Amino acid sequence: WAIGPSDIISAMHASHILMPFCCVTPMQEAIAQALDTTMTEGDTYFQRLRTQFDSNRQLLINVLQESGLPVVVPQGSYFVVCDISHIPKSKYMDPSNSEPADYHFSRWLTREYGVTCIPLSPFYSKEHQHMAEGYVRFAACKQAASIIEAGRRLKGAFTADLQNRRGLGS
């Protein structure tokens, strides 16, 4: 918790968003434990881990495609990027808020469907944030049951928007 002038709180908020991705100490501990496990179990630990991530990533890709979100298929990340540019902004934008569209979409998706994605614009400089407004990312580093539940909630949610963009709507 923090209380202070809005410029300081804003800076704290901006840095806090990145902390889970930039802190090295917990990652060092996780790598040390993984290496210890590999010493006792052999290469099977990393093989199982890779298989699990590959399986979850493919499950997430399928879920997102079934919802009507075009997917940028990753070659190795546990993040899956989706194109949201076909979804009318009127569906999710709050005109009283000047944040980028991907922020609005992320908040709206969480409120409406209980599924959370990550806006990409914070990873761009201020002058280039507009380039990321049509994209969000989802994390596949979840339990398969959570991904399946997200799929149930999102099933077909954006199919009509995608068909309308392609001129296939009724």
Side-chain angles (χ1 to χ4, degrees):
W1 294 91
I3 298 172
S6 61
D7 58 331
I8 292 175
I9 298 301
S10 179
M12 288 176 67
H13 175 68
S15 66
H16 175 71
I17 290 171
L18 300 174
M19 284 181 188
F21 304 107
C22 300
C23 293
V24 181
T25 304
M27 185 64 74
Q28 290 173 337
E29 178 65 25
I31 290 170
Q33 287 183 20
L35 292 172
D36 285 345
T37 302
T38 300
M39 298 286 235
T40 58
E41 295 183 27
D43 286 341
T44 60
Y45 172 75
F46 286 114
Q47 290 169 351
R48 282 194 328 265
L49 190 62
R50 179 179 178 176
T51 300
Q52 179 185 352
F53 276 124
D54 286 348
S55 175
N56 284 358
R57 181 177 52 241
Q58 191 56 54
L59 178 61
L60 181 60
I61 289 167
N62 294 342
V63 158
L64 294 170
Q65 288 174 331
E66 288 173 7
S67 78
L69 289 173
V71 173
V72 178
V73 178
Q75 293 182 4
S77 174
Y78 57 76
F79 290 112
V80 176
V81 174
C82 290
D83 181 349
I84 60 167
S85 63
H86 65 288
I87 301 167
K89 289 182 179 179
S90 60
K91 194 177 250 188
Y92 60 85
M93 288 292 285
D94 174 2
S96 68
N97 188 322
S98 64
E99 290 178 332
D102 56 338
Y103 269 98
H104 289 269
F105 180 83
S106 298
R107 286 191 186 112
W108 173 82
L109 191 70
T110 302
R111 278 193 315 268
E112 294 296 317
Y113 292 94
V115 176
T116 302
C117 58
I118 304 162
L120 289 180
S121 59
F123 299 101
Y124 286 71
S125 62
K126 199 74 160 163
E127 64 271 11
H128 294 108
Q129 281 185 342
H130 68 280
M131 297 167 73
E133 282 190 312
Y135 298 94
V136 293
R137 70 183 188 170
F138 293 83
C141 54
K142 307 285 180 195
Q143 296 293 324
S146 297
I147 298 171
I148 291 167
E149 175 60 19
R152 187 191 66 73
R153 294 178 186 190
L154 294 177
K155 184 92 173 171
F158 307 107
T159 304
D161 296 318
L162 187 58
Q163 289 174 343
N164 288 337
R165 181 175 184 179
R166 293 179 177 164
L168 302 174
S170 52

